[in-house]
């Protein structure tokens, strides 16, 4: 059947064919223009902050961030995940000053109101696991598996190879009212999704008292997901992790049924090197004596004690290095270390 331009459109709108098609064309053009402009704005501010992060004053901070981010000190791995690392370094890594690179850029440079909003969205964004609930022509509805919240993204082109019901690792940043998917859009199978969700939930519960809510925890814990991505996308990293797990499993084979005492002193006894153990326990004992209402995870406090003692001893160490051992974020160590000093 050939439609006359004055006939009613077959879409069921009741409008004339010529008017209906024109409206759709205009709407589609507006959508493409908004998406393209948002992507351009994000790329511009991202490039500016990345260039800023390469200044000499951030050299040591970058090394600390690499220690947290990369699971394997390999040039091949670093090259493959360099863009992911850049996003982590400028948006997520907490400097010794308790700020991020993006926050410092905002403080030290003149920016427009729109750029400020984009930077704030970058700082508040996080990597998470989403299920694609619905795909439409120009948007998709995602369900955050941790927060049980829906997120609508206009970046539908990045999801063209995915189906409704698929699970993905993704990061959403709002730019001028458009939710963009940046850096990461990786499909994962259900078993992988379940494993990661359970593992991250375990880490959150272990440190729950250090965070006001789960969303803040995710904002400050993006490195966990980036490390999972390295395992999923790089065979060299995956093999390394399997070998490490096997080695760790063998070393604790005879203690699986022993329930560990997770008091701060016990954690210090287990994890701190012998030459610093006595000073760490002494510092913590003095703090306990003068503070009756101590809140926060024991692992966070133990990590802060080790970090504080080593810094006082003139030992070259970073919050990033200590955070790995205790499975807490560097920001938690920084916060607790300030309380110890006070």
């Amino acid at each position: 059947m050939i439609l006359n331009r004055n006939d009613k459109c077959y879409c069921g709108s009741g409008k004339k064919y010529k008017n209906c098609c024109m409206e759709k064309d205009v709407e589609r053009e507006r959508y493409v223009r908004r998406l393209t402009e948002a992507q351009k704005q994000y790329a511009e501010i991202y490039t500016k902050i990345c260039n800023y992060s390469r200044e000499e004053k951030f050299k040591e901070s970058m090394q600390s961030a690499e220690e947290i981010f990369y699971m394997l000190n390999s040039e091949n791995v670093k090259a493959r995940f360099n863009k992911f690392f850049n996003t982590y370094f400028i948006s997520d890594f907490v400097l010794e000053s308790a700020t991020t690179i993006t926050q410092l850029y905002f403080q030290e440079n003149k920016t427009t109101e729109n750029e400020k909003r984009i930077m704030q969205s970058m700082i508040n964004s996080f990597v998470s696991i989403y299920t694609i609930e619905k795909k439409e022509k120009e948007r998709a509805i995602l369900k955050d598996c941790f927060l049980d919240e829906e997120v609508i993204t206009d970046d539908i082109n990045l999801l063209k190879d995915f189906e409704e019901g698929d699970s993905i690792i993704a990061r959403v940043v709002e730019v001028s009212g458009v939710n963009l998917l940046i850096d990461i859009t990786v499909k994962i199978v259900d078993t992988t999704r379940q494993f990661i969700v359970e593992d991250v939930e375990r880490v959150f519960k272990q440190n729950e008292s250090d965070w006001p809510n789960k969303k803040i925890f995710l904002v400050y814990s993006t490195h966990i997901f980036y490390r999972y991505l390295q395992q999923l996308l790089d065979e060299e990293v995956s093999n390394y992790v399997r070998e490490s797990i096997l080695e760790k499993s063998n070393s604790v084979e005879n203690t699986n049924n022993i329930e560990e005492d997770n008091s701060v002193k016990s954690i210090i006894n287990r994890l701190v090197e012998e030459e610093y153990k006595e000073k760490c326990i002494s510092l913590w004992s003095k703090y306990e004596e003068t503070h009756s209402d101590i809140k926060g995870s024991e692992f966070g406090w133990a990590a802060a004690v080790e970090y504080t003692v080593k810094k006082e001893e003139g030992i070259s160490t970073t919050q990033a290095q200590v955070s790995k051992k205790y499975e807490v974020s560097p920001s938690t160590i920084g916060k607790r270390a300030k309380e110890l000093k006070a």
Side-chain angles (χ1 to χ4, degrees):
M1 179 180 69
I2 299 177
L3 285 173
N4 185 288
R5 288 170 59 83
N6 290 315
D7 289 338
K8 288 185 178 180
C9 185
Y10 58 83
C11 71
S13 65
K15 299 178 181 179
K16 290 184 179 180
Y17 179 67
K18 63 176 181 179
N19 294 333
C20 185
C21 288
M22 286 177 63
E23 287 179 9
K24 287 182 178 179
D25 289 342
V26 170
E27 186 177 332
R28 175 65 181 173
E29 185 180 337
R30 188 183 299 120
Y31 158 77
V32 172
R33 188 164 56 246
R34 284 181 64 243
L35 180 60
T36 303
E37 181 60 26
Q39 291 170 333
K40 179 184 176 182
Q41 290 175 11
Y42 174 78
E44 288 176 350
I45 192 66
Y46 173 87
T47 301
K48 289 179 182 178
I49 302 174
C50 266
N51 292 337
Y52 171 74
S53 73
R54 295 310 191 261
E55 292 184 6
E56 184 64 24
K57 62 182 177 181
F58 297 122
K59 186 176 180 180
E60 289 187 9
S61 297
M62 180 173 288
Q63 291 173 347
S64 297
E66 287 180 347
E67 291 172 3
I68 295 176
F69 183 88
Y70 291 111
M71 301 200 70
L72 192 59
N73 187 18
S74 161
E75 292 305 317
N76 289 334
V77 172
K78 289 183 177 181
R80 181 167 188 182
F81 296 102
N82 181 60
K83 186 174 182 181
F84 293 166
F85 171 76
N86 287 338
T87 301
Y88 167 74
F89 184 49
I90 68 174
S91 298
D92 306 315
F93 179 72
V94 180
L95 305 165
E96 296 284 343
S97 59
T99 59
T100 65
I101 298 285
T102 300
Q103 288 171 319
L104 281 182
Y105 179 88
F106 167 73
Q107 294 169 11
E108 296 180 5
N109 295 271
K110 290 184 178 180
T111 55
T112 66
E113 288 301 317
N114 189 51
E115 286 177 330
K116 291 177 185 177
R117 286 191 290 269
I118 296 172
M119 287 188 287
Q120 191 62 51
S121 182
M122 290 168 65
I123 295 168
N124 292 334
S125 68
F126 54 91
V127 186
S128 191
I129 294 180
Y130 298 91
T131 299
I132 302 175
E133 288 203 320
K134 189 174 183 181
K135 285 183 68 178
E136 299 176 353
K137 188 175 182 181
E138 295 173 352
R139 69 174 193 167
I141 301 175
L142 311 177
K143 187 69 168 289
D144 190 312
C145 295
F146 293 98
L147 303 179
D148 198 32
E149 296 177 354
E150 286 187 350
V151 177
I152 297 175
T153 176
D154 306 276
D155 218 347
I156 191 66
N157 288 337
L158 284 178
L159 300 177
K160 64 179 184 299
D161 296 326
F162 301 145
E163 303 293 336
E164 291 181 359
D166 285 349
S167 296
I168 59 174
I169 299 179
R171 182 170 190 151
V172 181
V173 172
E174 181 185 346
V175 180
S176 299
V178 178
N179 284 329
L180 299 178
L181 297 174
I182 65 163
D183 291 352
I184 307 164
T185 312
V186 178
K187 180 180 176 180
I188 55 176
V189 297
D190 289 342
T191 52
T192 301
R193 172 184 55 78
Q194 183 178 352
F195 174 81
I196 296 177
V197 169
E198 290 177 354
D199 196 43
V200 173
E201 290 283 2
R202 175 188 63 79
V203 176
F204 171 67
K205 288 179 181 177
Q206 181 176 309
N207 301 280
E208 187 171 2
S209 54
D210 289 326
W211 305 102
N213 56 59
K214 191 180 292 185
K215 185 172 184 177
I216 299 298
F217 164 75
L218 292 173
V219 169
Y220 282 90
S221 304
T222 56
H223 64 283
I224 297 176
F225 293 93
Y226 283 118
R227 288 161 73 87
Y228 275 125
L229 278 167
Q230 291 171 62
Q231 296 178 59
L232 291 169
L233 300 177
D234 193 285
E235 187 176 355
E236 184 181 4
V237 176
S238 181
N239 290 336
Y240 167 77
V241 171
R242 276 196 294 269
E243 291 172 4
S244 299
I245 292 174
L246 181 60
E247 182 179 337
K248 184 177 181 180
S249 176
N250 291 336
S251 68
V252 299
E253 186 175 357
N254 297 323
T255 60
N256 283 340
N257 296 322
I258 299 176
E259 186 175 341
E260 291 184 329
D261 176 7
N262 279 336
S263 66
V264 174
K265 286 183 180 178
S266 295
I267 295 170
I268 290 172
N269 269 316
R270 289 201 306 270
L271 298 181
V272 175
E273 298 94 324
E274 200 63 42
E275 60 264 42
Y276 309 114
K277 194 173 293 184
E278 184 178 341
K279 290 183 178 179
C280 285
I281 291 176
S282 175
L283 173 61
W284 179 247
S285 296
K286 290 177 182 178
Y287 188 80
E288 271 190 314
E289 289 174 5
T290 55
H291 296 77
S292 58
D293 187 23
I294 300 176
K295 298 179 180 179
S297 76
E298 288 80 1
F299 283 89
W301 281 111
V305 168
E306 177 178 336
Y307 173 75
T308 301
V309 167
K310 286 186 174 180
K311 294 296 282 187
E312 289 176 350
E313 290 291 303
I315 305 301
S316 178
T317 188
T318 64
Q319 294 173 8
Q321 291 170 332
V322 179
S323 69
K324 284 185 178 180
K325 184 192 296 188
Y326 292 87
E327 287 191 323
V328 298
S329 71
S331 58
T332 295
I333 296 176
K335 180 168 62 175
R336 298 305 179 207
K338 286 182 180 179
E339 294 179 54
L340 287 171
K341 290 177 182 178

